[in-house]
Amino acid sequence: MTLSISFLLPLLSSLFIISTDALTSPSDVSALKAFKASVKPNSIPQWSCLASWDFTASDPCATPRRTHFTCGITCSSDSTRVTQLTLDPVGYTGRLTPLISGLTQLLTLDLADNNFYGSIPSSISSLVSLQTLTLRSNSFSGSLPESVTRLNSAESIDISRNSLTGSLPKSLSSLSNLRQLDLSYNKLTGSIPKLPQSLIDLALKANSLSGPISKESFTESTQLEVVELAENSFTGTLGAWFFNLQSIQQVDLANNSITGIEVIPPPKKLSGESDLVAVELGFNRIAGNAPASFAAYPRLTSLSLRYNMLHGAIPAEYERSKTLRRLFLDGNYLTGKAPARFVKPETEVMGSLGNNCLRGCPGKAKMCAPSQKPFSICKQAYGGKPKS
C-alpha cells in the first residue's frame, strides 16, 4: 500500500518542528546573552563564533546549526543545557560577566587567547559541574578569587599569561579533583599554600612568589609528577624531601634565589622506583659542592646546576651514571680535572662544563664551551688573592 503525499507532509513537518524547537534552558539563554553583551561589539569579527550567536533567529541548542550558533557552545544530548563554552581565539575584548554563573551544567569554559580583562567574578563558584577552566593568555587582573577553590569538580585550571596579583588562595587544597594547575606568567606573590592531594602537574612559573619552599605545602601531594616554579623569588635551602616526593618526575626551579640544596639517595623503599628524570636548578645562588647523590636516582637523565656558586670537584658519580644524558654545570667555580667521559669527542652527554675553574677541559671539546674562568678569579673564589 502506498502512502499519499498529503498524509506524509504533516508527519514530516512535525518532525522538523521537533528538531528545531527552542529547548535550551531559559537560565542558560540568559547567561549566554549576558556573556555576549559583555564583549565589545567592535572586537567580534563577522566570521567569528560570537557573530553567529543570534538569539532572535535561533535557539542556542537547536539543530541543525547551519547559520546560527555555528560554534562556541556544545549542548547536552537532549539539547536543554549548555555543557561547553569554548571560544575561538580572535581577540574578543570585554569582561567576564558574573552572570556566567547561570550555566550550572557547564563542564568546560575556555576563553583562551583573547583579550578579556578585569577580575574573575567570584560567582564562578556556581559552575558546580565545571571540569576544565581555561582562561590562558588574556588580561585578567586582580586576585584569584577564593571562590575558585569551591569548584569541586575541576580537574584542570589554566589561567596562565594574565595579570593576576595577590597571593594564592589558602584553601587551594580543597580542590579535591584537581590534576593540573597552571598560573604561570602572572604577578602572584606570597608563598605556596597546601596543595591538593590529586594534583599531578603544578606550574607557577614567572611570578613573584617568595620565601622558602615548605614541606607542609607538599605533604599530601603523593601524585605530583611535574613542578614548574622557575622565575620566582624562592629562597633558602631546598630539603631532600622535595626530590623524594612519591611520584615526582620533573623539577624546574631555575632563576630563583635558592642558596642550598639537600640531596640524599632515594629511600630504600623508593630505590629503583624513583621516577625523577629531570632537575633544573640553574641560575640560583646555590653554594657548596655539587650533590653527588643526584647520580643515585636510577632514571635521572637531565641535571642542570648552571650559574650557581658551586665549588669543589665534579662528583665522580656523575661520570659513572648510566642514565645521565644532559648535564649543565657551567658558570660555577668547579675545580679539578674535567671527567674524561664528558670531554671525549664521542661523548653521548650534551651540556656544558664551561666557565668554571677546571683543568683538562680543551676548548675543542663541545662540553667545555665557553672557556674556563681566568685563574685570578678562581683563586679569589677560593680565598686567595688575585695576582697583579
Side-chain angles (χ1 to χ4, degrees):
M1 181 176 67
T2 304
L3 293 175
S4 67
I5 294 178
S6 61
F7 175 79
L8 288 173
L9 282 175
L11 179 61
L12 292 171
S13 177
S14 65
L15 287 172
F16 179 77
I17 292 172
I18 290 173
S19 67
T20 58
D21 264 348
L23 300 175
T24 310
S25 163
S27 62
D28 283 14
V29 174
S30 296
L32 290 175
K33 286 181 176 179
F35 177 83
K36 182 177 181 179
S38 67
V39 177
K40 294 181 178 180
N42 61 3
S43 71
I44 304 177
Q46 292 183 348
W47 41 266
S48 65
C49 289
L50 274 185
S52 73
W53 290 18
D54 188 344
F55 297 93
T56 62
S58 177
D59 178 78
C61 290
T63 56
R65 297 179 182 174
R66 295 193 179 97
T67 56
H68 305 294
F69 295 96
T70 55
C71 57
I73 63 169
T74 301
C75 296
S76 57
S77 57
D78 61 0
S79 298
T80 61
R81 303 302 304 270
V82 175
T83 57
Q84 293 187 38
L85 199 168
T86 304
L87 288 189
D88 42 344
V90 298
Y92 298 120
T93 301
R95 294 179 179 272
L96 178 57
T97 174
L99 298 179
I100 193 75
S101 60
L103 300 174
T104 55
Q105 292 299 308
L106 204 63
L107 302 176
T108 299
L109 176 59
D110 186 346
L111 310 180
D113 301 296
N114 282 290
N115 291 317
F116 286 92
Y117 60 88
S119 59
I120 298 171
S122 58
S123 63
I124 202 168
S125 61
S126 297
L127 304 180
V128 292
S129 300
L130 197 67
Q131 296 176 359
T132 302
L133 174 62
T134 305
L135 305 178
R136 180 185 64 251
S137 297
N138 279 281
S139 298
F140 288 106
S141 58
S143 61
L144 184 65
E146 192 80 28
S147 61
V148 166
T149 64
R150 295 200 291 273
L151 295 173
N152 295 324
S153 298
E155 297 177 2
S156 174
I157 295 177
D158 184 352
I159 317 180
S160 60
R161 298 183 184 276
N162 280 277
S163 297
L164 298 179
T165 56
S167 57
L168 293 166
K170 293 181 179 179
S171 55
L172 200 61
S173 61
S174 63
L175 290 166
S176 56
N177 289 299
L178 192 66
R179 298 167 67 83
Q180 190 263 346
L181 176 64
D182 192 346
L183 299 173
S184 301
Y185 296 97
N186 279 286
K187 301 175 183 178
L188 299 169
T189 56
S191 58
I192 302 174
K194 191 174 183 180
L195 298 170
Q197 184 177 4
S198 56
L199 198 62
I200 293 175
D201 191 336
L202 173 67
L204 299 174
K205 183 178 181 179
N207 279 284
S208 297
L209 299 169
S210 60
I213 295 175
S214 170
K215 184 177 181 179
E216 285 67 33
S217 303
F218 294 82
T219 299
E220 297 182 0
S221 304
T222 56
Q223 300 181 57
L224 194 59
E225 296 178 358
V226 180
V227 178
E228 296 183 61
L229 303 177
E231 298 177 51
N232 280 285
S233 299
F234 291 112
T235 57
T237 298
L238 190 59
W241 60 267
F242 187 81
F243 302 104
N244 290 329
L245 289 169
Q246 185 171 326
S247 301
I248 198 70
Q249 295 181 17
Q250 300 177 47
V251 172
D252 186 356
L253 274 160
N255 292 89
N256 278 282
S257 297
I258 295 170
T259 53
I261 50 175
E262 296 174 355
V263 184
I264 58 174
K268 289 183 178 180
K269 65 178 180 178
L270 290 179
S271 185
E273 299 175 13
S274 174
D275 292 324
L276 186 65
V277 296
V279 174
E280 172 59 81
L281 288 166
F283 299 95
N284 277 279
R285 300 177 183 177
I286 300 169
N289 297 322
S293 295
F294 272 131
Y297 288 82
R299 294 184 177 88
L300 188 69
T301 61
S302 177
L303 174 63
S304 174
L305 292 164
R306 63 193 321 196
Y307 290 91
N308 278 283
M309 301 172 67
L310 297 174
H311 286 60
I314 296 174
E317 290 85 348
Y318 291 2
E319 186 177 17
R320 293 196 295 264
S321 171
K322 295 180 180 179
T323 60
L324 205 56
R325 291 294 180 270
R326 184 176 181 274
L327 178 65
F328 284 89
L329 299 176
D330 48 316
N332 285 284
Y333 297 90
L334 298 171
T335 60
K337 190 173 181 180
R341 175 190 172 192
F342 301 143
V343 299
K344 63 183 181 180
E346 67 276 14
T347 182
E348 78 285 12
V349 180
M350 67 165 290
S352 177
L353 306 178
N355 198 15
N356 276 290
C357 302
L358 297 169
R359 293 181 288 106
C361 205
K364 62 182 180 180
K366 60 182 181 181
M367 283 280 286
C368 291
S371 59
Q372 300 299 301
K373 287 182 170 69
F375 175 75
S376 58
I377 292 178
C378 294
K379 187 174 182 180
Q380 188 175 31
Y382 281 88
K385 295 182 180 180
K387 291 182 178 181
S388 58

